[in-house]
Amino acid sequence: MGGSILVVEDEAAIRDLLAANLQRAGYRVMTAGDVPQAEALVRDSRPDLVLLDWVLPGVPGLTFARRLRSDQRTKDISIVLLSARAEEQDKVTALESGADDYVTKPFSPRELLARIKAVMRRRAPQLADDVVEIAGLRIDPAAHTVSAGDKPIDLWTTELRLLHYFMTHPGRVFSRARLLDEVWGEHVFVEERTVDVHIRRLRQALAPTGHDKLIETVRGTGYRFKPDGLQAVPVAQPGAQPQPSA
Ligand code: CA
């Protein structure tokens, strides 16, 4: 499901090459030539990942990485550091500064893409195209299909994105505002009760197989995807004997 990447690199030729490759791979790309430009872009439109060159004019890439990590609003942004330095100590320093991965120049575009994909999958699973299956409910974001058991479920795009977000973050409670940011995008102006409308539609679509019970309303807060929502009240296993205490 793509994702957005900010490329911070002062060498225009490399920056353009990176941007073109990433766009072709389906990412939304922003570019900056130095840290002040990058900081302005991060403030305006929070990217999912920053591809950051170590050596930049003025503020070095590592300093920017540390700033991103120390700020509540940006600490979850993935960082992949690019550098010509291949010494082990440099890699250690980069990872300690908060980078999720470190790629040495010159790099193969395919390897870089694979590393970016891996970091995205780890830190933002809702952006990956992996099939997710929970409690018999299966979502294939690449194919835009959902099924319960062997029964296909027809969903509109927003409901599909909402379900995918829930299934990649099971058990966590999300406010309506947070769901709007994550599923609709931060710059979309929609009222919070829009979320309720889409939740209702999603539940209707999931109701025939009982999977609507996986989506729990958390009073006064928002919603949660409950992976164990299909299970009834726990009953004692037939024949199970209490374990003798040691
Ligand atoms: Ca550079």
Side-chain angles (χ1 to χ4, degrees):
M1 292 204 160
S4 59
I5 298 180
L6 168 61
V7 178
V8 191
E9 162 68 85
D10 56 316
E11 284 165 77
I14 300 180
R15 191 172 62 226
D16 294 348
L17 179 74
L18 287 170
N21 276 326
L22 294 170
Q23 265 159 5
R24 207 171 310 131
Y27 296 104
R28 278 172 287 128
V29 182
M30 303 177 273
T31 57
D34 57 27
V35 169
Q37 269 182 31
E39 282 182 325
L41 284 168
V42 167
R43 258 198 314 275
D44 289 349
S45 48
R46 185 186 177 284
D48 298 306
L49 183 143
V50 175
L51 182 57
L52 181 61
D53 189 27
W54 183 315
V55 182
L56 294 164
V59 186
L62 277 192
T63 308
F64 183 46
R66 284 194 202 100
R67 282 185 198 163
L68 288 174
R69 281 289 171 267
S70 60
D71 188 329
Q72 268 308 314
R73 290 161 300 177
T74 57
K75 68 175 174 52
D76 293 331
I77 296 177
S78 308
I79 302 171
V80 174
L81 206 79
L82 280 175
S83 173
R85 308 182 193 211
E87 299 291 319
E88 195 187 347
Q89 186 51 47
D90 293 322
K91 293 182 188 175
V92 171
T93 307
L95 298 174
E96 281 176 355
S97 304
D100 295 287
D101 203 355
Y102 183 97
V103 177
T104 312
K105 287 177 174 178
F107 50 85
S108 105
R110 282 182 60 190
E111 190 200 345
L112 180 64
L113 272 178
R115 301 272 205 102
I116 285 175
K117 221 174 156 179
V119 169
M120 286 272 206
R121 177 172 294 141
R122 213 160 58 225
R123 291 187 70 99
Q126 76 277 13
L127 297 173
D129 273 347
D130 300 336
V131 169
V132 187
E133 187 163 355
I134 296 175
L137 196 60
R138 184 176 193 276
I139 186 164
D140 182 341
H144 281 253
T145 56
V146 177
S147 57
D150 50 8
K151 186 184 176 301
I153 294 176
D154 230 1
L155 288 183
W156 293 91
T157 306
T158 303
E159 279 76 54
L160 192 120
R161 286 171 58 98
L162 192 58
L163 181 62
H164 187 245
Y165 189 75
F166 276 136
M167 290 179 74
T168 50
H169 299 83
R172 283 171 59 182
V173 179
F174 293 105
S175 66
R176 291 169 179 79
R178 177 73 192 274
L179 288 172
L180 279 177
D181 278 356
E182 299 290 348
V183 177
W184 277 257
E186 275 174 63
H187 299 285
V188 181
F189 183 80
V190 261
E191 289 178 64
E192 291 194 3
R193 61 194 167 89
T194 304
V195 175
D196 302 333
V197 174
H198 289 275
I199 293 272
R200 199 178 318 133
R201 278 199 213 152
L202 179 57
R203 279 179 173 152
Q204 275 166 6
L206 299 178
T209 52
H211 287 87
D212 55 319
K213 293 183 191 68
L214 297 179
I215 298 164
E216 185 193 24
T217 305
V218 182
R219 205 164 288 281
T221 312
Y223 295 99
R224 163 169 54 190
F225 186 83
K226 267 181 83 178
D228 56 354
L230 292 190
Q231 289 166 14
V233 184
V235 279
Q237 290 282 316
Q241 297 298 319
Q243 292 296 311
S245 50

